[in-house]
Amino acid sequence: MDSLNNNSIDLSKKSKKHFCLFDKTNSNIPSGGITYIIAFIIPLIIMTALYIAREIYPFGNNCYLRSDMYHQYAPFFSELWNKLRHGESLTYSWDIGMGTNFTALYAYYLASPSNWFIVLFPQKYMIEIMNAIIILKLCLSSVTFTYYITKHFNNRKCSIALFGMFYSLSGFVAAYSWNIMWLDCLVLLPLIIFGLERLVNENKCFLYCITLGLCIYTNYYIAIMVCISVVLYFIVLIIAYRGTRKPVIYFKKILNFAIYSLLAGGLAACLLLPEFYAFTLSASNNIEFPKKLTLYFSILNTVTRHLIDVPVHLGLEHYPNIYCGVAVLLLFPLYIMDKKVDLREKIGKSVLILAFLTAFNLNIPNFIWHGFHFPNSLPCRQSFIYVFFLLTMCYEAFTHIRSMTTKQLGAALWIAIGIMLFIEQIFAVDETYDFTIVYLSGAFILIYALLMVIHMKHDFRVPVILFITFSLCIIECTINMDSTGIGTTSRTSYLLDYDAVKTVTSTVAEDDSSFYRMDKKFGSRSNNDGAWHNYHSMSTFSSTSNGAMEKFLGKLGFEHSFNAYKYNGATLVTESLFSVKYAISNRILTESPLRTYYTGDDGEFIYKNTYTLPIGYMTYNDPYGWEGSEAIGSGIDNQNSLIKNLTGISNVFTLTYENSTDTGFEVKPVKAGHLYMITKNTACDTVTVTIHGSEYTYKDLKKGGTIIDLGYATPEDVIVVSADTSMNASVYTLETSRFKEAFNILNNNSLNVSEFTNNKIKGTVNADKDATLICSIPYDKGWSVYIDGKKVETNDIYGAFISVHVPAGEHNITLRYTPVNLILGCIITSLCIIILIGIYFFKRMCRMNVISTDSWPVLIQELICEDDVILMDIRKTKTQSICDDDINPHDSPMPLDDFSLDELDDFDNLDSDESNHAD
C-alpha cells in the first residue's frame, strides 16, 4: 500500500513541457515543434507569393478587396478605427444609416479581438492592415488544424503540416478569405473539436467551453453552424466511446456537454443579446420554414467541387466550395477500407460527412444549417467544417498507408478514376467545367497514388518521397488558390477621393459645431462611404440595417434594396427633414437660393443646403395616420402628402412634364427651380441627363421608384433626357415658396441642440401647445427620451423614426442610447466567467485535497470526478470483500479511503499520455 501511495505522489507531480524543435525518434520523417513552424510558414509563403503575383500593395498598385469587403468591411473597420482612436462609444454610430446600433454591427462584423490592433496603424492603410490580418489568420488556422491532428493522433510528424495547409487554403478559403469576419471561426474550429474530444474522453471541459465561447463571440452567425456540427460530432463521440460504458458515465458526459455549451453561449451573451434585438429590426427578421423539400443538385455534382481549379461559387445556385486537395478522392476510400479504424467511429464520421453533403444538396437542411435563413448568395457557409472532418479522416488513412494492401490502394485509385470519368462524361461535355480541370486533377491523383506505392514498398526512400510530396502538394494548392481566389481592386481607384473628402469634411467640422448629416450626391463608392470617411451619413448597406427605414425611404423615392438604403433619390425636402445639411459631389452643381457652394478640394466639392431642419422638430398636427392612409403614390406624391400631413402645406412639388412612350425627350422649365424626375417603367435601367453642358448617368433604375435629381434650371435651360428604353417619366418642380413655408412651420420651436455625442443628445424646445416631437433617428427601443428629467414613452412614427408627445411649454429634452439587452448580456457574461473560475478552483482544490468529497453522495462524486470510475461498483466490491471470509484479505481491492480521486486522475493522465489515440 505504501508503494502505491508513493507512486501516486510521483504521478501527481506535473512534468514541465518545453517546446522542442525536433523530437527524438527513429522515423525518417522529422517531427516535433518544427511541424507547427512549417504549418505556419507554408501558407504564409503561398499567400505572399500570390500577393506579389497579383501586385497587391506594397508589391504593386492593387489591393485585396472583394464583394462585401469592398462595400462593408473596409468602411466598418475604418469606423471602428475612428472610434478607438477618439475614445468614442461603441454603442452607437451616426456615420451609418442615419444612426445605427454599433454594438450590433460590431457583433456581426467586427467582434474579433484581433481587430483592435488596427488602432496601432494609420487609418489610410486600413486595407493593407486587413490584407495582413487575413494572411495571419489563414496561417493560424493551418497551425490550429495541425495542432489538432498532433493531439488527436499523438504524433508530430511534419507531414501533418500539409493537411494544415489544405485546411487553411481550401476552396472555402479561396471563395471567402475576403470575409475576414468568418476567419476566426476557421482558426477556432480545430480547438473546439479537440476540446470536445477531451470533454468526452477525459471529462476536461474548459478548452471546449472557452474556445466555443470565443467562436460565438467573434461571429455568432458562423458559430451557429459550428454549434450544429458540435452537437452532431458529440453524438458520434458518444457512440464511438471506448471507455467504461455505464449509464452514469454517459449521463455525466451529456451533462458536461450541456452545461459547458450553455456556459460558452453565456460567455458571448454581452454581444448575443443586443444582436438578437437588432435582428428583429432588420429586413432579415422574417423566418419562414420551407414547406417542401427540394433537391438542388446531385451528390455527384457536389463531388466535382473537390477538383482542382473548379471556379468558386458566390451566387445563388448553392454550390459548395469544398476543394481541399484532390488526394482526398484517394484517401477517403482508403479510410473506408481501413481495418485499423474503429468501426463505430468510421460509421459515425461517415454519417456526419453524409449529413454535410445532404445539407449542401437539400433546401431544408440548408435552411437549418444557416440559422433558419436562406443565405443571400455566398452559399454553403459551413463548408470549412466539412473540410475539417474530411481531412481528419483522410489523415488517419494516410498514417496507415504502410499497412494497406496493394489491392486496397488499387481499389481506391479505380474509384477516383471512375469519378473522374463520370465527371468528364456528365459535366465537362456541356461546359459546366473546363475539361482541363478533370485531366489536371487526374494527373495529380495518379502521381499521389504512385508515391503511395513507392512508400509502401521502399522504406529507404522516405526522405525523397517526403520532399516530392511536399513539393507536389504546395504546387497543387498554389495553383488552385491562384486560379480561384484573391480577387483584386485598384488601390488608386479606391483611395482616389480619400484625401480630398477628408479635407473638405474636416473643413466643415471645424466651422460647424451643430449636429448635421452629409452624403455624396455624386461620386459615392458604396453605401457606407460615411463610415469610410467618418462623417454622419444617411446611407447604409449592412445585415443589421433597419428594415423599417428601408421601407420608409423606399416610399419617399430613395434607392433601396434588401438590407440597404441610399442617399440616391434625395430631394431638398427629404434633405431638410433628415438634417442633411451638406452634399458632397465630385461634379460642380448649379447654385440656387436653396443650395450654395461651401468648400472644395482636389475635385471634391461641398454644397450647403440653406433650409435644413435640426435632428428634432415638432408638428402640431396628428402625424401618425400618414403611412396607412396616404403613402400610396410615387416618391414625389408621398413627399407631398407627408409635408401636408406635417404642416398643412399642399403641393410642395408640382407636375411639370410627362412622357410615357419615348426613349428620349427635352424638358424646358417654365420657371426657375429644382427639377426631379421619376421613371415608372421598371424595364428602364439607365437614364442619361444633359444639363448646362454636363452629362449625368443614373443606373440601376430597374428597382423602380428612385427619384432622379435633374438639378436647378431656369426657363433659359434645356434638359435632355435619354434612356435605353421608354421611361414613362414624370418631371416635377419644387415650389420654392411653399417649401420655405413648410420649413418655417416645422423649424419653429424645433429642438435646439446644445450637446450631442455618439449616444446622447441634449437640447430644449418651446411648444406653443401640445405637440409631437419627431426625431430623424431610426426607431430603436434602446433610445430613451427624458423631458425635464422624466422618462417618457417613445413611439415609432411611420414605422421608422422616434417620436414623443411634448406638452405645451418650454422643456429640456435629453435622449440617451443604451443597446437593448446590453446590460443583461454583460451580467450573464460576467456570471458565466465567475462560474467558470469557480469551477476551476473547485476542481483544483479537490485535487489538492483542500476540499474533501469523500462524505458526499457517491453519485455526486462520480459526476464531478474527471475520471470515468464507477465508485458505486468499487464500494460494492470493497463491501463484498470484507464480508467474504473465503477471500484472502491481501487480495482484496484497495480501500477507497486509501485511493483518492486525485490518484485516479493521475493514473488516467498517465494512461492518456502513453496511449496512441489512433489505435
Side-chain angles (χ1 to χ4, degrees):
M1 181 63 67
D2 292 338
S3 62
L4 282 173
N5 288 333
N6 291 333
N7 288 337
S8 66
I9 293 173
D10 293 337
L11 289 171
S12 65
K13 296 179 180 179
K14 294 184 178 179
S15 60
K16 295 182 179 179
K17 296 182 180 179
H18 299 282
F19 180 82
C20 180
L21 192 60
F22 291 99
D23 290 339
K24 295 180 179 179
T25 174
N26 295 325
S27 173
N28 291 324
I29 301 176
S31 64
I34 188 67
T35 300
Y36 304 122
I37 296 175
I38 295 173
F40 185 90
I41 292 295
I42 292 179
L44 178 63
I45 293 174
I46 292 175
M47 290 298 293
T48 302
L50 291 175
Y51 273 33
I52 295 173
R54 293 285 195 276
E55 298 183 348
I56 295 174
Y57 188 86
F59 308 110
N61 196 38
N62 293 326
C63 58
Y64 182 27
L65 282 179
R66 188 174 183 178
S67 189
D68 290 345
M69 189 179 180
Y70 183 102
H71 297 281
Q72 294 180 304
Y73 308 159
F76 294 157
F77 266 71
S78 178
E79 179 69 5
L80 177 64
W81 182 96
N82 185 64
K83 283 182 171 292
L84 294 178
R85 272 292 181 100
H86 296 93
E88 296 180 357
S89 169
L90 295 179
T91 58
Y92 205 78
S93 173
W94 296 109
D95 298 347
I96 302 169
M98 297 181 69
T100 193
N101 179 343
F102 193 78
T103 300
L105 186 139
Y106 177 87
Y108 195 90
Y109 294 99
L110 303 166
S112 171
S114 63
N115 294 342
W116 285 58
F117 288 103
I118 65 175
V119 76
L120 302 177
F121 303 93
Q123 186 180 20
K124 189 174 182 178
Y125 295 98
M126 191 61 55
I127 301 170
E128 286 67 49
I129 300 168
M130 296 172 69
N131 289 171
I133 290 175
I134 288 173
I135 292 181
L136 290 175
K137 287 185 177 181
L138 295 182
C139 294
L140 286 175
S141 68
S142 176
V143 172
T144 57
F145 183 86
T146 300
Y147 177 80
Y148 168 79
I149 294 294
T150 62
K151 292 298 183 180
H152 183 84
F153 295 101
N154 198 27
N155 78 72
R156 300 199 295 176
K157 294 181 178 179
C158 68
S159 56
I160 299 172
L162 293 176
F163 289 81
M165 174 192 70
F166 280 117
Y167 174 72
S168 64
L169 300 178
S170 66
F172 173 89
V173 171
Y176 301 138
S177 60
W178 51 267
N179 221 318
I180 187 171
M181 63 184 186
W182 294 355
L183 298 184
D184 290 78
C185 297
L186 187 77
V187 175
L188 290 168
L189 177 67
L191 301 179
I192 295 169
I193 298 301
F194 177 54
L196 180 64
E197 291 176 353
R198 293 191 69 186
L199 182 149
V200 172
N201 297 323
E202 306 174 47
N203 299 308
K204 296 178 179 178
C205 311
F206 286 98
L207 178 62
Y208 165 74
C209 181
I210 293 171
T211 53
L212 181 60
L214 187 58
C215 179
I216 298 171
Y217 178 91
T218 55
N219 192 271
Y220 79 93
Y221 177 65
I222 297 299
I224 293 173
M225 304 164 207
V226 173
C227 289
I228 294 174
S229 305
V230 162
V231 172
L232 295 177
Y233 189 53
F234 175 75
I235 296 172
V236 172
L237 290 175
I238 287 295
I239 294 174
Y241 179 64
R242 303 178 210 171
T244 305
R245 293 169 185 161
K246 294 283 186 176
V248 66
I249 298 298
Y250 284 106
F251 176 73
K252 176 168 67 174
K253 297 182 185 305
I254 294 172
L255 185 64
N256 281 340
F257 178 69
I259 290 174
Y260 285 94
S261 296
L262 289 174
L263 285 173
L267 291 176
C270 57
L271 292 183
L272 278 181
L273 296 187
E275 181 66 29
F276 286 160
Y277 171 74
F279 181 77
T280 65
L281 300 179
S282 72
S284 305
N285 66 342
N286 293 324
I287 297 178
E288 185 176 350
F289 201 89
K291 297 179 181 179
K292 183 180 179 181
L293 186 66
T294 302
L295 178 70
Y296 295 141
F297 37 74
S298 67
I299 293 288
L300 183 60
N301 202 330
T302 305
V303 175
T304 65
R305 308 294 298 173
H306 281 292
L307 303 186
I308 187 175
D309 283 0
V310 170
V312 296
H313 186 73
L314 304 176
L316 298 172
E317 287 79 15
H318 305 287
Y319 290 116
N321 300 296
I322 52 177
Y323 165 83
C324 51
V326 295
V328 299
L329 298 175
L330 272 176
L331 292 173
F332 184 74
L334 288 175
Y335 174 83
I336 299 300
M337 292 182 282
D338 192 350
K339 295 181 180 180
K340 286 191 173 183
V341 180
D342 180 80
L343 182 61
R344 288 175 299 171
E345 180 180 335
K346 183 188 299 183
I347 293 174
K349 289 186 175 180
S350 298
V351 171
L352 185 61
I353 289 294
L354 184 61
F356 277 99
L357 294 174
T358 301
F360 297 151
N361 288 9
L362 298 175
N363 65 325
I364 292 180
N366 178 45
F367 179 81
I368 295 172
W369 271 95
H370 289 89
F372 295 91
H373 175 72
F374 284 117
N376 183 21
S377 69
L378 311 186
C380 302
R381 303 175 186 188
Q382 78 277 27
S383 298
F384 74 99
I385 311 174
Y386 166 85
V387 167
F388 170 85
F389 284 112
L390 181 62
L391 284 175
T392 302
M393 298 162 71
C394 289
Y395 178 78
E396 188 162 6
F398 174 76
T399 59
H400 298 157
I401 289 293
R402 297 295 297 274
S403 63
M404 297 285 184
T405 65
T406 306
K407 186 176 180 180
Q408 288 175 320
L409 182 57
L413 179 59
W414 279 112
I415 290 172
I417 292 175
I419 292 173
M420 294 293 103
L421 293 175
F422 269 112
I423 292 173
E424 181 191 26
Q425 181 65 31
I426 296 175
F427 300 107
V429 293
D430 62 357
E431 298 183 357
T432 303
Y433 301 120
D434 191 297
F435 75 93
T436 58
I437 292 174
V438 178
Y439 286 91
L440 184 60
S441 300
F444 274 102
I445 288 174
L446 289 174
I447 298 174
Y448 287 134
L450 178 62
L451 291 173
M452 290 178 187
V453 172
I454 295 174
H455 179 58
M456 291 169 62
K457 301 297 184 181
H458 303 283
D459 191 31
F460 68 96
R461 296 183 181 178
V462 167
V464 177
I465 295 173
L466 183 65
F467 176 78
I468 295 174
T469 302
F470 261 84
S471 301
L472 194 64
C473 290
I474 292 171
I475 291 171
E476 179 197 344
C477 193
T478 304
I479 290 174
N480 183 78
M481 198 69 182
D482 180 57
S483 300
T484 61
I486 318 295
T488 61
T489 296
S490 169
R491 184 175 184 270
T492 300
S493 175
Y494 198 84
L495 297 176
L496 184 63
D497 65 347
Y498 185 87
D499 291 329
V501 172
K502 282 289 187 183
T503 298
V504 294
T505 55
S506 297
T507 299
V508 174
E510 291 171 2
D511 296 342
D512 192 341
S513 61
S514 66
F515 181 92
Y516 59 84
R517 296 186 176 101
M518 60 172 61
D519 222 315
K520 287 186 176 179
K521 181 168 286 290
F522 292 106
S524 65
R525 175 179 299 98
S526 73
N527 286 19
N528 293 307
D529 279 8
W532 176 243
H533 296 291
N534 309 124
Y535 58 77
H536 299 348
S537 74
M538 65 171 294
S539 302
T540 186
F541 169 37
S542 162
S543 294
T544 62
S545 65
N546 191 299
M549 281 296 301
E550 175 200 330
K551 294 178 181 178
F552 174 66
L553 294 178
K555 292 176 182 178
L556 296 183
F558 284 85
E559 181 181 330
H560 66 106
S561 59
F562 188 75
N563 285 336
Y565 46 90
K566 196 171 184 179
Y567 178 67
N568 289 354
T571 68
L572 285 167
V573 170
T574 51
E575 287 174 326
S576 179
L577 291 174
F578 304 151
S579 299
V580 182
K581 194 173 184 178
Y582 300 95
I584 307 172
S585 174
N586 61 0
R587 300 178 178 182
I588 297 176
L589 305 179
T590 303
E591 295 185 76
S592 74
L594 303 181
R595 176 181 288 147
T596 58
Y597 174 81
Y598 189 85
T599 188
D601 180 77
D602 195 19
E604 295 294 331
F605 312 103
I606 287 189
Y607 291 83
K608 181 178 180 180
N609 298 323
T610 309
Y611 297 91
T612 306
L613 292 167
I615 195 170
Y617 46 86
M618 291 195 297
T619 176
Y620 298 105
N621 298 342
D622 179 14
Y624 293 102
W626 173 80
E627 184 180 16
S629 61
E630 299 185 54
I632 56 176
S634 68
I636 294 294
D637 294 332
N638 290 338
Q639 289 186 36
N640 270 338
S641 64
L642 177 60
I643 293 298
K644 181 180 179 180
N645 181 265
L646 294 174
T647 67
I649 305 298
S650 302
N651 298 324
V652 173
F653 295 93
T654 56
L655 182 63
T656 299
Y657 180 84
E658 285 187 299
N659 188 300
S660 60
T661 58
D662 295 337
T663 59
F665 55 85
E666 293 182 353
V667 178
K668 297 180 179 180
V670 296
K671 60 181 178 180
H674 284 262
L675 302 182
Y676 300 93
M677 183 178 75
I678 290 180
T679 59
K680 300 175 185 177
N681 183 5
T682 55
C684 178
D685 186 59
T686 303
V687 170
T688 301
V689 177
T690 302
I691 181 173
H692 303 138
S694 298
E695 185 177 279
Y696 304 92
T697 301
Y698 302 85
K699 299 180 179 180
D700 300 324
L701 300 177
K702 283 186 177 180
K703 299 167 185 176
T706 302
I707 297 173
I708 298 172
D709 187 349
L710 300 180
Y712 181 78
T714 65
E716 290 76 27
D717 296 317
V718 176
I719 303 173
V720 179
V721 181
S722 61
D724 51 357
T725 184
S726 61
M727 293 170 273
N728 191 12
S730 300
V731 179
Y732 298 84
T733 300
L734 176 64
E735 299 293 338
T736 303
S737 60
R738 295 176 190 169
F739 168 62
K740 290 181 180 179
E741 186 179 357
F743 168 82
N744 290 330
I745 292 174
L746 293 175
N747 192 50
N748 185 34
N749 299 330
S750 59
L751 179 64
N752 181 23
V753 178
S754 58
E755 176 187 344
F756 69 91
T757 62
N758 281 292
N759 53 4
K760 183 180 179 181
I761 295 175
K762 294 182 69 175
T764 58
V765 295
N766 190 359
D768 296 335
K769 55 183 178 179
D770 289 0
T772 300
L773 175 66
I774 300 174
C775 299
S776 57
I777 303 172
Y779 179 77
D780 186 329
K781 289 182 180 178
W783 280 106
S784 298
V785 180
Y786 299 84
I787 298 179
D788 298 328
K790 182 179 180 181
K791 186 176 181 179
V792 297
E793 181 182 359
T794 59
N795 301 299
D796 59 327
I797 189 167
Y798 315 133
F801 288 142
I802 295 172
S803 67
V804 294
H805 174 75
V806 178
E810 186 174 350
H811 304 283
N812 293 314
I813 305 292
T814 303
L815 293 89
R816 292 193 181 95
Y817 184 78
T818 302
V820 174
N821 296 329
L822 176 63
I823 296 176
L824 176 61
C826 290
I827 291 174
I828 293 175
T829 295
S830 301
L831 286 175
C832 289
I833 293 173
I834 293 171
I835 290 171
L836 278 177
I837 294 174
I839 293 174
Y840 171 80
F841 282 107
F842 170 76
K843 289 190 174 184
R844 183 179 178 85
M845 287 188 287
C846 286
R847 286 194 296 269
M848 297 173 65
N849 287 327
V850 175
I851 296 178
S852 176
T853 60
D854 293 344
S855 61
W856 293 18
V858 175
L859 179 61
I860 300 298
Q861 291 186 56
E862 289 174 343
L863 292 179
I864 65 175
C865 179
E866 289 186 351
D867 303 284
D868 292 334
V869 177
I870 307 298
L871 298 181
M872 288 185 290
D873 291 350
I874 293 176
R875 290 192 172 185
K876 182 178 179 181
T877 304
K878 171 187 172 184
T879 303
Q880 290 176 345
S881 301
I882 294 174
C883 297
D884 193 343
D885 295 334
D886 296 332
I887 297 179
N888 190 328
H890 295 287
D891 297 330
S892 63
M894 183 176 61
L896 183 65
D897 294 338
D898 295 332
F899 197 73
S900 68
L901 297 180
D902 294 328
E903 293 165 2
L904 291 174
D905 179 56
D906 291 328
F907 280 114
D908 180 72
N909 289 336
L910 178 64
D911 293 339
S912 64
D913 290 339
E914 294 181 350
S915 63
N916 189 327
H917 293 184
D919 293 338

